[in-house]
Amino acid sequence: MIVDERIITFINSMDTENSEILEQIEKEARADSVPIIRREMQSFLRTLLMLKKPVHILEVGTAVGFSALLMSEYAPEECRITTIENYEKRIPIARENFRRAGKADRITLIEGDAAEVLTELTGEYDFIFMDAAKGQYIHYFPEVMRLLAKGGCLVSDNVMQDGDIIESRFAVERRNRTIHARMREYLYELKHNEDFISVVQETFDKYVSKKCLIELNKWQQLNENMKNMRDEYVLFIKEIRDIKEECKRIYGGSGLRYKIARWLAR
């Protein structure tokens, strides 16, 4: 389902703010160009967590800890969260954010490649949130299935790749074709796995918005070019009229074309 950006903006405008610490962390992350889950995904997670009430959560992809902290605020008090991150520069920031929020005792951050860490984890998780390298989802899936408790919930963020997933592989940039193929494989597995009841929900397709913006920019540029051409044409006509008047003044009214040619040759 493609949703109009204005609708999303309107809905988000009515959304209540997160806690002060979450708002601060989100602001800092955006200033540093660190991706944060969208507002509509935040609302979706809050709703699922309040309904599911999980006591063991696994997150694949910590970033700066925003999502883990969000989940900790809406899961039961006894809930414990395990989160995995491989990007060294973000790990100390995430740990500090957990400390700032007073949640360091409820959130365990494991450093390392998720593909390796997942194989070493034991026990079961009743809620798993994947928000890591999208091209690796299909490789994580067998271990995620092993760790997901019966009746558990798996949430995978941005599986539509902002709309690129619906395009032919030949319409996708060459460097993104591997991710494109793997995400299609992952979606197929989710929808056809008999152990799952799954839904793919695209709340807002940035691809459509981006395409519309490109077309709008093209139209605006064309309109500007037309305006410039019109202005140049007006100036050209004015110059011709001035030349004609000057020729009339100097040579009189007869043989005007010849006289204009003589004037231009001066």
Side-chain angles (χ1 to χ4, degrees):
M1 176 180 176
I2 303 301
V3 182
D4 193 301
E5 183 177 4
R6 294 173 301 169
I7 297 175
I8 294 297
T9 302
F10 174 72
I11 292 172
N12 287 343
S13 70
M14 296 189 294
D15 199 11
T16 56
E17 287 190 346
N18 290 314
S19 63
E20 184 177 347
I21 184 64
L22 277 179
E23 290 290 330
Q24 183 62 34
I25 290 172
E26 181 171 3
K27 181 178 179 181
E28 294 168 358
R30 295 195 186 283
D32 294 334
S33 300
V34 177
I36 294 293
I37 57 173
R38 303 168 189 166
R39 283 283 173 170
E40 49 269 30
M41 173 55 82
Q42 295 175 32
S43 297
F44 185 58
L45 276 181
R46 287 196 295 262
T47 302
L48 282 179
L49 291 167
M50 294 177 72
L51 290 172
K52 183 65 180 172
K53 303 185 187 305
V55 292
H56 294 100
I57 295 177
L58 173 63
E59 178 186 44
V60 182
T62 313
V64 295
F66 177 86
S67 298
L69 286 171
L70 177 75
M71 291 189 288
S72 73
E73 291 189 358
Y74 291 91
E77 186 66 30
E78 65 272 20
C79 178
R80 293 297 177 266
I81 299 174
T82 300
T83 182
I84 305 169
E85 180 56 50
N86 194 38
Y87 189 27
E88 294 181 358
K89 291 184 178 180
R90 290 179 182 166
I91 290 171
I93 299 173
R95 292 192 187 281
E96 174 60 17
N97 286 337
F98 296 155
R99 187 199 64 78
R100 289 166 60 191
K103 300 293 181 69
D105 59 329
R106 294 181 57 191
I107 303 174
T108 300
L109 195 162
I110 301 177
E111 302 178 29
D113 186 340
E116 298 176 2
V117 173
L118 288 170
T119 63
E120 299 171 357
L121 293 178
T122 58
E124 293 183 329
Y125 297 87
D126 37 6
F127 194 96
I128 299 179
F129 179 52
M130 290 213 295
D131 187 19
K134 306 301 182 277
Q136 299 303 314
Y137 281 10
I138 188 64
H139 299 315
Y140 298 156
F141 190 66
E143 291 301 322
V144 166
M145 282 286 291
R146 177 181 65 84
L147 294 166
L148 188 63
K150 185 177 181 179
C153 182
L154 169 63
V155 178
S156 305
D157 189 37
N158 197 19
V159 294
M160 294 298 289
Q161 285 283 276
D162 297 329
D164 283 352
I165 200 70
I166 68 174
E167 300 290 346
S168 162
R169 69 183 300 272
F170 299 106
V172 177
E173 291 184 27
R174 185 179 294 274
R175 61 189 176 90
N176 292 329
R177 287 179 184 175
T178 299
I179 296 176
H180 180 268
R182 289 178 179 177
M183 285 306 299
R184 283 195 167 190
E185 184 182 357
Y186 180 66
L187 284 173
Y188 183 89
E189 182 62 31
L190 285 179
K191 297 298 290 183
H192 291 81
N193 192 301
E194 295 181 355
D195 294 328
F196 272 105
I197 297 175
S198 59
V199 59
V200 179
Q201 179 66 44
E202 183 70 358
T203 52
F204 172 52
D205 197 332
K206 287 197 300 185
Y207 173 77
V208 173
S209 175
K210 185 165 57 180
K211 290 282 282 186
C212 289
L213 183 59
I214 290 172
E215 294 302 322
L216 177 61
N217 287 340
K218 285 182 179 178
W219 182 86
Q220 289 175 334
Q221 185 61 50
L222 178 61
N223 188 54
E224 185 66 25
N225 291 342
M226 291 292 289
K227 181 178 180 297
N228 291 338
M229 290 175 62
R230 184 188 62 196
D231 292 343
E232 290 175 3
Y233 177 74
V234 169
L235 288 174
F236 174 74
I237 294 299
K238 184 178 183 301
E239 288 177 1
I240 291 296
R241 287 174 178 169
D242 290 344
I243 290 172
K244 289 173 67 176
E245 291 301 319
E246 185 69 10
C247 286
K248 284 181 181 180
R249 186 182 66 81
I250 297 175
Y251 302 109
S254 60
L256 190 57
R257 289 186 180 178
Y258 172 73
K259 293 171 181 178
I260 290 177
R262 284 184 59 189
W263 170 263
L264 292 175
R266 289 175 56 180

